[in-house]
Amino acid sequence: MAYSDKVLDHYSNPRNVGSLDKNSAEVGTGLVGAPECGDVMKLQIKVNPATNIIEDAKFKTFGCGSAIASSSLATEWVKGKTVDEALTIRNTDIVKELSLPPVKIHCSVLAEDAIRAAIGDWKKKNGQHSQAQAAVQPAPVEQRA
Amino acid sequence: MALTDQKKTAQLDSGILVVNQSRPTKVNCWSCGAMRAAHFCQECGKVQPPTPVDYFTFFGLPFRLNLEPEKLEGEFYALSRHLHPDINAINSDREQQWSLEKSSQLNDAYRTLKDPITRTEYLLRLQGVQLEEQSKAATEEARRTGKLKKQVVPPDLLEQVFELNMQLEEMRMNKKMGEPDRTLERELQDSKKHVQDRYNGLVEELHAAWNEWDALIDRAEQGGSVLEDDRIAVRDKMVDVLNRRNYLRNLLRDIDEVLEN
């Protein structure tokens, strides 16, 4: 299967690979997996407590090129956004940006899950109950073509 | 996973335990008009046209997961002999065509049912389980409610898979540089044993779930009632075991690859 140029770019030149101090109160960690393919993805965010802006993001993914590209793109996108803005990122946005084929849509779902899990972890650490995003309009998950 | 709260009771026919699958009713033999057996007319022995049936029904089996491999194999060879296109070469064109189609159906059915894992996966598919769809549905649920998505595999397993992958990556790097790290290698060998044990333990877990499932089928076949919740609970138990198995299998494969190269 041919990967799109953008996937190849993120795959061979992934952004923000690495880790942040998971014990820091400013850091949220999300570890998620896709049982369909056995991929694991860790995504971490560092949030400025005064502004709620995500100042840094790191990831490490063990999986296929699309999973790596999806998480690489996710870290790029969340940086500079507030926590609530980051929660509006949809797997469909990732699919579109990377031109993922239907069989790789689960990779984009995994990346969205990772963002959500990292933010959830950060909120938990900071005593916020994750009700804020309930107001966000749900969008349908991209279906197979 | 669409867990329903309704306590629906399955009907007497055990076929109802399989969503959207109904067992074919008996029809008349196209040739002599008598009621037919599964593949050949009981009266005249003529091959019958292929019907789109599930693999269990193809072999005339109940939807049980425990089955005797020798019996299945025996049945497979017996059917193969009668369905083989060469045997049917003297018959009419449409009978030849049917025997060809049925032979191919037979091969698929046998291949799927003889292996315990593909058999389980197949039954789960008949039960309407689609892993990817479930994952998407759970993501949608998380968006809607703002709650964290429940991961389909337990966090400690994800943690273990992640850590081991980190070690594997380090090991690959070291080897590439021509400086294999013996301590790391020993650690990996220990981890492999641990993962292997966990993997082997899943077989027992799966068999326990099989027994629960078969008990439901037996109850239904004997005319008893089966609660929808019970069916879903056993089904999900099997999905859970297979999900964990996927991770551990990949991990074992990767560990072997790194240790051997």
Side-chain angles (χ1 to χ4, degrees):
Chain A
M1 184 195 57
Y3 284 123
S4 71
D5 288 346
K6 278 183 179 158
V7 170
L8 285 175
D9 179 34
H10 276 279
Y11 177 67
S12 48
N13 182 22
R15 334 291 200 255
N16 308 311
V17 174
S19 65
L20 301 167
D21 175 15
K22 70 169 185 205
N23 296 318
S24 161
E26 291 172 16
V27 172
T29 302
L31 179 62
V32 295
E36 304 92 330
C37 51
D39 288 358
V40 274
M41 184 180 286
K42 184 186 255 182
L43 191 145
Q44 293 182 299
I45 52 165
K46 186 167 179 279
V47 182
N48 182 325
T51 59
N52 275 4
I53 285 176
I54 298 172
E55 294 188 328
D56 200 4
K58 297 276 184 204
F59 86 95
K60 181 76 197 167
T61 294
F62 296 103
C64 66
S66 301
I68 290 170
S70 296
S71 38
S72 172
L73 180 66
T75 55
E76 268 193 334
W77 277 358
V78 295
K79 270 209 236 180
K81 284 194 169 69
T82 66
V83 166
D84 286 340
E85 283 166 356
L87 281 168
T88 63
I89 295 172
R90 292 286 175 265
N91 83 299
T92 44
D93 305 332
I94 296 170
V95 169
K96 221 175 279 168
E97 176 68 18
L98 296 175
S99 320
L100 293 180
V103 291
K104 292 295 179 185
I105 284 171
H106 69 269
C107 298
S108 68
V109 174
L110 199 58
E112 185 188 327
D113 289 344
I115 296 173
R116 220 165 269 285
I119 292 174
D121 181 55
W122 174 80
K123 286 192 169 175
K124 211 165 96 189
K125 273 185 184 171
N126 291 276
Q128 292 187 27
H129 290 292
S130 44
Q131 289 306 318
Q133 62 268 47
V136 172
Q137 200 63 28
V141 173
E142 175 110 349
Q143 297 297 318
R144 278 164 177 275
Chain B
M1 201 167 305
L3 286 172
T4 167
D5 291 323
Q6 288 173 294
K7 283 198 192 307
K8 275 184 269 174
T9 304
Q11 290 168 20
L12 303 186
D13 178 10
S14 73
I16 203 75
L17 283 167
V18 172
V19 175
N20 295 332
Q21 292 284 324
S22 58
R23 299 219 153 190
T25 47
K26 280 184 181 159
V27 293
N28 294 335
C29 166
W30 60 270
S31 174
C32 74
M35 298 297 261
R36 72 174 172 100
H39 304 289
F40 308 97
C41 174
Q42 276 172 331
E43 300 297 320
C44 71
K46 294 246 187 216
V47 67
Q48 299 300 304
T51 43
V53 291
D54 68 86
Y55 297 155
F56 288 92
T57 306
F58 188 89
F59 275 107
L61 292 167
F63 295 105
R64 297 176 98 253
L65 285 164
N66 286 292
L67 57 78
E68 294 169 53
E70 306 79 29
K71 251 177 136 173
L72 184 72
E73 195 185 17
E75 190 70 9
F76 168 69
Y77 284 121
L79 281 172
S80 298
R81 273 194 298 276
H82 287 100
L83 289 173
H84 199 283
D86 289 353
I87 302 275
N88 291 280
I90 50 162
N91 294 331
S92 67
D93 282 354
R94 65 173 185 176
E95 283 170 86
Q96 286 184 44
Q97 185 57 33
W98 291 343
S99 69
L100 195 65
E101 283 170 31
K102 273 183 173 274
S103 287
S104 131
Q105 223 178 349
L106 173 68
N107 289 334
D108 291 342
Y110 180 58
R111 222 187 356 252
T112 304
L113 294 189
K114 77 171 173 182
D115 179 80
I117 299 299
T118 54
R119 177 161 76 236
T120 311
E121 285 171 343
Y122 180 71
L123 183 97
L124 291 173
R125 254 205 316 280
L126 289 181
Q127 289 290 307
V129 173
Q130 282 174 304
L131 289 180
E132 212 162 311
E133 296 307 316
Q134 280 176 12
S135 182
K136 275 184 207 153
T139 298
E140 275 175 28
E141 174 76 7
R143 278 179 194 160
R144 203 171 49 75
T145 61
K147 295 215 178 76
L148 277 188
K149 176 178 171 178
K150 189 180 168 288
Q151 285 295 305
V152 283
V153 289
D156 73 305
L157 177 62
L158 279 182
E159 204 73 59
Q160 190 188 19
V161 172
F162 191 84
E163 288 308 321
L164 262 166
N165 268 303
M166 292 293 276
Q167 287 183 320
L168 288 174
E169 193 173 73
E170 199 184 332
M171 187 86 180
R172 281 193 200 104
M173 290 283 234
N174 289 340
K175 285 198 168 174
K176 218 186 237 172
M177 311 285 279
E179 299 162 4
D181 181 334
R182 295 295 164 209
T183 320
L184 187 59
E185 196 167 339
R186 266 195 305 278
E187 269 177 36
L188 273 178
Q189 265 149 1
D190 285 348
S191 303
K192 189 192 161 184
K193 245 177 263 163
H194 185 74
V195 176
Q196 188 74 57
D197 285 347
R198 213 170 161 169
Y199 186 76
N200 295 343
L202 288 180
V203 176
E204 280 169 42
E205 251 186 88
L206 189 61
H207 283 165
W210 277 10
N211 292 339
E212 279 183 57
W213 175 263
D214 288 358
L216 294 183
I217 296 288
D218 291 347
R219 204 192 304 163
E221 293 224 320
Q222 285 156 18
S225 62
V226 173
L227 290 180
E228 182 69 357
D229 283 0
D230 289 346
R231 179 183 74 84
I232 289 169
V234 187
R235 184 195 74 185
D236 290 352
K237 214 178 269 185
M238 291 190 276
V239 170
D240 176 51
V241 174
L242 292 183
N243 276 336
R244 280 179 284 150
R245 188 178 178 278
N246 262 357
Y247 275 100
L248 295 175
R249 190 198 50 210
N250 287 358
L251 205 48
L252 283 173
R253 183 199 58 206
D254 293 346
I255 295 174
D256 278 340
E257 182 202 302
V258 168
L259 286 177
E260 279 160 22
N261 285 323

